[in-house]
């Protein structure tokens, strides 16, 4: 499957998000694991960078990052459950 | 996907536990017009909504309802914290206690467990938005009834906040219905179902 630029960036975000979430579940039960904490920091920083780039190019991922002063892009299509969004 | 924020939407700080209050307020957790029904109703209606404004309103009101579900749970948690067996027996909360101890389980005040039968998803914009308008009014009435039965200001304060949100949500669903009707044939709103035809 050929992915466009947006889809490629979204895949990266989803994979970083997944790595982070896995770490979070582990850390909940092992709050002093320094290795897991280092992994968490690295992936959180990476995710932040990727989400910043995505938001700037393609619009908000959360209600807190609408950038346009003239329009509320939060409601724009495609919606997450539509094929075109994935 | 969803991300959890580790804070309540509005503070809940109750000094005195009270099993009687918990027994009635639990209806806003698992009752027909409670916050669980509200969140499930809006978050599942979104998919068949043909207009982006309406999807946005349903997503964001539905998400806020999850925050209200948490506030109701916080109220129940604080109202039942540290109660003696004697107080539980006297209040009539014993019929809940025997099955759930001090766990938070969504039931109505009459003890009926939560049921998706409380939620209407017709797959038709006008029908679903009218369901939502009615649901917000019914939830507002339940909060009004709770305020008639509860004297403690610590409990009344977050309940008043939640009651006010029902009114705001009613207004926003009114916007959603107006936006929808503006897009339909004004001579016959029912000429077709934009979510299907």
């Amino acid at each position: 499957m050929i992915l466009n630029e947006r889809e490629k960036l979204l895949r990266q975000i989803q994979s970083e998000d997944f790595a982070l979430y896995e770490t979070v579940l582990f850390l909940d039960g092992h709050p002093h694991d320094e290795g897991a904490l280092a992994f968490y920091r690295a992936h959180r920083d990476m995710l932040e960078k990727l989400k910043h780039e995505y938001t700037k190019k393609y619009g908000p991922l959360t209600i807190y990052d609408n950038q346009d002063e003239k329009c509320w892009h939060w409601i724009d299509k495609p919606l997450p459950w539509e094929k075109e969004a994935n | 996907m969803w991300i959890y924020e580790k804070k309540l939407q509005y503070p809940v700080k109750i000094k005195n536990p009270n099993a009687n209050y918990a027994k009635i307020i639990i209806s806003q957790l698992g009752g027909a017009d409670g916050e669980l029904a509200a969140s499930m109703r809006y978050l599942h209606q979104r998919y068949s909504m043909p207009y982006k404004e309406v999807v946005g309103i349903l997503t964001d009101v539905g998400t806020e309802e999850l925050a209200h579900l948490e506030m109701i749970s916080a109220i129940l948690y604080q109202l039942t914290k540290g109660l003696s067996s004697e107080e539980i027996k006297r209040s009539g909360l014993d019929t809940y206690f025997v099955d759930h101890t001090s766990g938070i389980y969504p039931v109505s005040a009459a003890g009926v467990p939560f049921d998706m039968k409380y939620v209407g998803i017709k797959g038709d914009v006008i029908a679903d938005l009218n369901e939502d308008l009615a649901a917000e009014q019914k939830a507002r009435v339940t909060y009004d009834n709770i305020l008639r039965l509860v004297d403690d200001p610590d409990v009344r304060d977050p309940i008043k906040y939640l009651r006010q949100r029902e009114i705001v949500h009613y207004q926003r669903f009114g916007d959603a219905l107006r936006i929808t009707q503006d897009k339909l044939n004004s001579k016959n709103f029912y000429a077709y179902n934009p979510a299907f035809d």
Side-chain angles (χ1 to χ4, degrees):
Chain A
M1 188 170 43
I2 300 156
L3 300 176
N4 65 31
E5 288 306 307
R6 189 192 64 82
E7 289 163 350
K8 270 187 226 160
L9 187 54
L10 181 65
R11 292 294 184 283
Q12 271 182 292
I13 288 173
Q14 285 166 327
S15 107
E16 281 299 323
D17 224 347
F18 178 68
L20 194 71
Y21 222 91
E22 279 287 78
T23 317
V24 164
L25 298 187
F26 178 81
L27 277 168
D28 286 343
H30 307 81
H32 299 291
D33 190 305
E34 289 180 21
L37 284 165
F39 189 88
Y40 161 79
R41 283 195 304 277
H43 285 271
R44 180 197 54 194
D45 294 349
M46 176 62 77
L47 185 62
E48 225 166 80
K49 237 182 278 167
L50 291 169
K51 281 186 171 173
H52 184 74
E53 186 189 341
Y54 187 97
T55 297
K56 244 173 72 186
K57 286 185 180 159
Y58 307 113
L61 282 166
T62 76
I63 54 169
Y64 304 107
D65 41 43
N66 195 81
Q67 309 287 349
D68 193 336
E69 289 175 17
K70 300 238 163 73
C71 183
W72 181 241
H73 290 290
W74 173 239
I75 61 171
D76 287 357
K77 292 199 171 198
L79 298 160
W81 50 88
E82 292 174 325
K83 275 198 290 277
E84 304 74 47
N86 289 277
Chain B
M1 72 173 285
W2 270 264
I3 301 170
Y4 181 68
E5 261 192 19
K6 199 180 156 189
K7 64 168 175 58
L8 293 182
Q9 193 188 15
Y10 183 90
V12 174
K13 217 173 176 61
I14 299 166
K15 284 185 285 294
N16 303 312
N18 185 317
N20 282 305
Y21 292 167
K23 204 172 174 306
I24 57 170
I25 292 172
I26 202 163
S27 248
Q28 287 299 58
L29 190 74
D33 308 315
E35 303 291 357
L36 181 54
S39 53
M40 292 302 104
R41 180 179 301 113
Y42 308 146
L43 293 176
H44 289 97
Q45 280 181 357
R46 301 185 298 160
Y47 302 95
S48 52
M49 284 296 171
Y51 310 122
K52 61 179 186 174
E53 294 88 346
V54 180
V55 176
I57 291 167
L58 286 168
T59 300
D60 297 330
V61 175
T63 299
E64 190 182 350
E65 304 295 8
L66 291 174
H68 295 171
L69 188 69
E70 185 184 34
M71 278 180 67
I72 292 292
S73 298
I75 291 170
L76 296 170
Y77 169 78
Q78 293 180 23
L79 282 174
T80 54
K81 184 104 179 132
L83 287 172
S84 67
S85 307
E86 203 43 55
E87 286 168 308
I88 289 169
K89 240 187 282 179
R90 221 177 322 117
S91 68
L93 194 65
D94 52 351
T95 54
Y96 175 91
F97 176 85
V98 69
D99 286 327
H100 309 292
T101 330
S102 53
I104 304 287
Y105 180 69
V107 294
S108 72
V112 181
F114 174 74
D115 197 317
M116 275 301 280
K117 285 173 184 162
Y118 303 148
V119 174
I121 292 159
K122 201 70 185 170
D124 175 283
V125 203
I126 294 179
D128 282 345
L129 287 176
N130 275 286
E131 152 109 4
D132 303 342
L133 287 160
E136 293 294 337
Q137 285 302 328
K138 288 190 275 184
R140 192 266 306 156
V141 174
T142 310
Y143 282 123
D144 274 329
N145 290 343
I146 289 170
L147 289 168
R148 287 192 179 95
L149 301 169
V150 170
D151 296 323
D152 183 351
D154 289 355
V155 184
R156 290 176 64 87
D157 184 55
I159 293 291
K160 281 187 197 164
Y161 171 86
L162 291 167
R163 175 190 175 277
Q164 197 58 42
R165 298 309 295 158
E166 306 300 340
I167 295 168
V168 171
H169 292 170
Y170 180 80
Q171 294 301 119
R172 299 285 75 81
F173 285 129
D175 283 346
L177 186 58
R178 179 184 48 75
I179 290 164
T180 296
Q181 288 175 331
D182 284 350
K183 292 179 195 292
L184 295 173
N185 179 351
S186 62
K187 290 207 172 84
N188 182 4
F189 289 141
Y190 313 108
Y192 70 108
N193 175 359
F196 184 77
D197 297 310

